[in-house]
DNA sequence: CCTATTCGGAAACGATCGTTTCCTATTAGG
DNA sequence: CCTAATAGGAAACGATCGTTTCCGAATAGG
């Protein structure tokens, strides 16, 4: 069985092999889509940013929409990895919430902040009339809300977060705060500005 | 002097008079721009929504960008009027904050919520590379933040809001909450969902 | 009444959009 | 070594984009 698996992983697809890494190309696409939005990004923009010709693009992806959705999925994967790594450093529930807020507030600063969040961007630009985009946004938002709620519950269980407020309500408010941070980040707040929002939000946990 | 003013207001411009009201047309444009964004809205979309031909559009506005900016300004004017009317009903500072949050939360529900906020949409889609759009977004956000801060200070002065937290910090957090509400509204939260966010935010004032 | 000016509307403009085609290059398998 | 299959790349596709032009209709001022 090991042999068969080894053979499978070693197996190459027939024909000329691709000369670029899909994920690296998507990382470039994410930057363009985040800054200019879906409709504001042309295939020419993507060709330049990803260093590919139209032929290679359309062999790797069905159409522009597929490039966008793949970028969205890759974005979620990368951001979730950053978040998970940060959460592992936390000592209790309250610390986890704090670190999560800081991940969002850091992402809202400077160049990355002006570039923006692909989830927020997709929600604002596409969710109203594109079902596929709306589903991914909805799933992403639910996931983030659920995570926040779990962190709050953990903090309430370990005593680091007050239990006098419903965890679900607290999570929804914090969800609103993090997306708001991403919106405010588009016009470039100062680090002090962003961290004051995080600090104020944390007072809710007392 | 009264006579001169009356003559001025009565003065008509030469040539054939315009057959539509600019502000009514802009109200239609706002709906389209909010739902589909700037780049997602074509001149054909605007023609259909506003009930105009390209000729009339380009005689009333320099170009597509000018239509958008005029829509943005009109949107701000309309929303500010709604907000001001609501604030006048309030009995104290805390009540003003509550009513302001409710104005945003109401706007985030149902069809209007899915359509979205033109300020948030412009921030997300255009602010990163369009200076003119970024300036208006920045001005709008600052104005909203300043208003929130003034309301909080008023509440702290009349004793309806706790003074143990800095008004500027509180205002920034609430600013983040209202923009977050608008983002969440794009995927259609339930009224209970939205009002639970408002209720949770109000607990910050205790 | 005549002239100047603006509007409404249809048609047409070049530019750019997203996408496809076609040819060559490069690989795997028999 | 030959065949099948895929990738890279340039050129070209029809469609749609934002915008302009042109013409008849409607108004104000002299």
């Amino acid at each position: 069985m090991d042999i068969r698996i080894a053979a499978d992983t070693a197996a190459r697809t027939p024909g000329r092999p691709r000369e670029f890494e899909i994920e690296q190309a998507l990382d470039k696409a994410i930057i363009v889509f985040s800054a200019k939005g879906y409709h504001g990004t042309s295939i020419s923009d993507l060709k330049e940013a990803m260093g590919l010709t139209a032929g290679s693009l359309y062999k790797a992806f069905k159409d522009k929409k597929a490039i966008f959705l793949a970028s969205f999925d890759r974005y979620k994967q990368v951001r979730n990895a950053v978040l998970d790594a940060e959460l592992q450093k936390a000592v209790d529930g309250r610390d986890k919430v704090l670190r999560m807020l800081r991940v969002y507030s850091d992402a809202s600063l400077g160049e990355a902040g002006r570039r923006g969040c692909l989830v927020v961007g997709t929600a604002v630009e596409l969710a109203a009339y594109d079902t596929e985009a709306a589903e991914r946004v909805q799933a992403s938002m639910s996931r983030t809300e659920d995570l926040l709620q779990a962190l709050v519950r953990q903090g309430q269980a370990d005593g680091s977060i007050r239990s006098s407020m419903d965890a679900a309500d607290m999570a929804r408010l914090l969800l609103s705060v993090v997306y708001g941070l991403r919106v405010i980040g588009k016009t470039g707040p100062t680090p002090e500005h962003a961290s004051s929002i995080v600090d104020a939000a944390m007072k809710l946990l007392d």
Side-chain angles (χ1 to χ4, degrees), chain A residues 70-179:
Chain A
S71 299
F72 184 98
D73 293 341
R74 168 76 179 161
Y75 176 80
K76 286 288 323 178
Q77 174 186 321
V78 170
R79 296 302 306 167
N80 278 338
V82 170
L83 181 57
D84 289 347
E86 194 61 26
L87 287 182
Q88 284 198 340
K89 303 179 195 165
V91 299
D92 58 17
R94 183 195 186 87
D95 195 28
K96 285 194 179 175
V97 172
L98 174 61
R99 286 179 186 271
M100 180 156 173
L101 294 185
R102 285 203 178 137
V103 164
Y104 277 90
S105 118
D106 286 350
S108 305
L109 291 173
E111 190 186 340
R114 245 166 277 117
R115 195 183 304 141
C117 170
L118 206 45
V119 175
V120 171
T122 306
V124 168
E125 191 186 4
L126 298 179
Y129 62 97
D130 184 309
T131 306
E132 228 166 340
E135 282 170 0
R136 296 192 192 218
V137 168
Q138 176 68 42
S140 175
M141 286 188 172
S142 292
R143 205 190 108 97
T144 304
E145 180 180 338
D146 292 347
L147 175 58
L148 276 167
Q149 186 172 330
L151 301 188
V152 168
R153 283 192 200 287
Q154 181 182 337
Q156 288 178 331
D158 65 30
S160 60
I161 296 177
R162 64 163 163 146
S163 297
S164 56
M165 186 170 167
D166 183 62
D169 291 342
M170 215 178 252
R172 283 197 275 259
L173 179 63
L174 293 175
L175 184 75
S176 185
V177 170
V178 297
Y179 290 140

Side-chain angles (χ1 to χ4, degrees), chain A residues 4-5 22 47 88 126-127 139 175 179 198 203:
Chain A
R4 205 164 64 81
I5 288 177
I22 290 270
K47 278 165 48 184
Q88 284 198 340
L126 298 179
L175 184 75
Y179 290 140
V198 171
K203 297 204 170 155

